[in-house]
Amino acid sequence: AMCKHVVAALLVLIRGRSGQKITTKQEKKEKTKFKSEVSGSVGKVNVEEMWEKLRTSLRRLGRAFDRDWDEYVNCQDELYSEVSGSVGNLPDSIDTARGLLEMAAWMDKHVLGRFDDSDGILQDMQYAVMAKAVKFMDKSQNVRDLDICWKYTKPKYDFDSGADIVRAIFAEVSNPLIVEQTGQKVESAMEQPDSDFGFDPAWVLPDWCAYLQKVDKNRFEETCLRFSLKTQILEMLLKSWIEEGEYDRIVDLAWNRRGELRIGDVVEQALIKLKDTDKLINYYSERLDDRGGVEEWKKLKRVCVEGGQEKIWQSLAEKKLVTMRGIEAVEVLMLLKNYVRAADTLIGANDLLV
C-alpha cells in the first residue's frame, strides 16, 4: 500500500496542473511559523469555534485546489496556521480531548482523504490536533482517561491515522503513569494477533522503545531483545550498543542476521572496531556475492592487506574475474595492479559497445 503522500504526488501528476510554484521546505517552514505566531496571538477559543473555522477554510481550500496551484499552497499554509494557532489556545481538558480527537478523525476522511498533501502540511496539521488532545493527560491520575483515545484506535473505527494518536502520547505526554500504560498496551498487542488495535502495533513499537531509551536503559534493552525479530527494533538496540562501545554484544546477537537491510551495516561497524579480520573478510565476500561493486572490493582488499592476508584477496579476485565482465572487471584488475589486462578488458568492452 502506498502512503498518502505518494498517492497525493501521483494525483498531482495525473491532474497535470500548470504553473505550479516550486517552494522550498525552508520557505514553507518560515511562512508557516510566522502565520502560526500571528494566529496564536488570538484570545481563547473553543472546539466548536474551531469546527466552524475549519469548515470555512476547507471550502476556500477546495476552491483553490480545483482552480490554482499557487493559491492552493497558500491556503494550505493558512489552514495549518489557523488550526495550530487555535489549538494552542484551547484548555487542556477531557472535553477538549474528545472534541479534538473527533476532529482529527474527521480530518482523516474529509481533508487527508480528499486533498493533495504531497509535502505533509495537512498531516502535520492533523498531528497538531492530536498532540493537543492528549496533553490533558499530563496531570491525569486515572489511566481510564486513555479510553478516550482507545476509541479511535479500534478496528471498527474507520480512522487511518489511529497509530498517530499512540505516537502523540509517547511524544507529547510527560505523565509516566499514562505513558507506561500505553506502552504496556502496545507490548500486549504485539503478542496478541487479535488485539483491539486497528493497525499493526509494530508501527508504534519503535516510539515506545525510544521513550524507554530515554528513561530506563535496562527496560529499553529488555524490550528490544524481547521484540528483536522486528528489524527496526533490533537496529535501535544495536545502534545504542555502538554508542556504548558494546561491539562484542552486537556481533554475538546480530552476526546471523547480517544479511538484513540496515543490520549488516551496524555489524560491519562493530567488526571494524573489533578489528575482526576473519569475520570482515567473510562479510565482504558475502556482500560481493549479493551485490558486487567496486566499493565492496576496495573494502575487502583493505581488510585483507591490513590483516596480512592479501593472498586471500588476490585468490578471490582471480576466481571472480572468470565470470566478471565490463567496467567492474576493469576496476578489480586495477586493484590487482594488473594494468595491461585491465587495458585489454577495457578495449574489449568498448569494442562490444561499438
Side-chain angles (χ1 to χ4, degrees), residues 88-145:
N89 286 289
L90 289 171
D92 295 333
S93 70
I94 291 178
D95 289 338
T96 296
R98 289 195 183 99
L100 289 182
L101 288 173
E102 193 65 33
M103 182 180 293
W106 185 86
M107 286 178 178
D108 219 52
K109 180 178 181 180
H110 297 281
V111 181
L112 296 176
R114 177 185 173 192
F115 296 108
D116 176 292
D117 191 32
S118 51
D119 57 3
I121 291 288
L122 299 178
Q123 197 163 35
D124 289 345
M125 176 187 72
Q126 184 195 42
Y127 181 82
V129 171
M130 295 179 191
K132 180 63 177 181
V134 302
K135 282 300 287 182
F136 84 95
M137 289 185 287
D138 271 345
K139 299 178 181 178
S140 174
Q141 297 300 316
N142 188 352
V143 295
R144 296 198 63 179
D145 287 340

Side-chain angles (χ1 to χ4, degrees), residues 96-291:
T96 296
R98 289 195 183 99
L100 289 182
L101 288 173
E102 193 65 33
M103 182 180 293
W106 185 86
M107 286 178 178
D108 219 52
K109 180 178 181 180
H110 297 281
V111 181
L112 296 176
R114 177 185 173 192
F115 296 108
D116 176 292
D117 191 32
S118 51
D119 57 3
I121 291 288
L122 299 178
Q123 197 163 35
D124 289 345
M125 176 187 72
Q126 184 195 42
Y127 181 82
V129 171
M130 295 179 191
K132 180 63 177 181
V134 302
K135 282 300 287 182
F136 84 95
M137 289 185 287
D138 271 345
K139 299 178 181 178
S140 174
Q141 297 300 316
N142 188 352
V143 295
R144 296 198 63 179
D145 287 340
L146 279 164
D147 291 344
I148 297 169
C149 299
W150 299 151
K151 170 185 175 182
Y152 298 94
T153 63
K154 294 181 182 297
K156 65 180 181 181
Y157 204 91
D158 186 18
F159 187 15
D160 290 347
S161 301
D164 285 337
I165 295 177
V166 179
R167 292 192 180 100
I169 293 172
F170 289 135
E172 310 294 340
V173 177
S174 59
N175 186 338
L177 178 71
I178 296 298
V179 179
E180 175 69 28
Q181 186 69 19
T182 304
Q184 289 181 13
K185 186 175 179 70
V186 170
E187 290 188 26
S188 176
M190 287 291 298
E191 297 172 335
Q192 298 175 11
D194 58 345
S195 76
D196 60 355
F197 275 149
F199 55 87
D200 186 347
W203 296 352
V204 296
L205 183 61
D207 300 88
W208 169 232
C209 290
Y211 171 81
L212 289 177
Q213 188 174 13
K214 292 185 289 186
V215 300
D216 191 332
K217 175 187 171 183
N218 291 332
R219 281 193 65 194
F220 165 71
E221 287 195 3
E222 291 170 3
T223 304
C224 287
L225 287 169
R226 185 175 163 195
F227 298 107
S228 61
L229 288 177
K230 298 294 182 182
T231 299
Q232 189 175 357
I233 301 303
L234 177 59
E235 182 188 17
M236 289 179 70
L237 178 60
L238 298 181
K239 285 185 174 180
S240 74
W241 284 350
I242 282 284
E243 294 175 0
E244 296 164 9
E246 301 277 2
Y247 308 125
D248 285 310
R249 295 182 73 187
I250 293 172
V251 177
D252 290 343
L253 178 62
W255 174 250
N256 290 334
R257 294 177 62 180
R258 60 191 179 278
E260 294 180 30
L261 183 66
R262 302 197 307 268
I263 300 300
D265 293 337
V266 186
V267 172
E268 178 187 3
Q269 293 178 54
L271 292 173
I272 291 172
K273 292 291 185 179
L274 292 169
K275 298 182 179 179
D276 191 331
T277 301
D278 290 340
K279 274 191 166 66
L280 278 170
I281 290 174
N282 189 346
Y283 177 72
Y284 290 136
S285 298
E286 291 172 346
R287 293 268 285 246
L288 285 171
D289 290 337
D290 292 339
R291 66 183 77 175

Side-chain angles (χ1 to χ4, degrees), residues 320-338:
K320 295 284 187 182
L321 279 167
V322 174
T323 57
M324 202 178 293
R325 297 289 183 272
I327 298 301
E328 186 178 8
V330 174
E331 295 279 6
V332 172
L333 287 166
M334 293 293 287
L335 290 171
L336 284 167
K337 298 183 180 179
N338 192 336

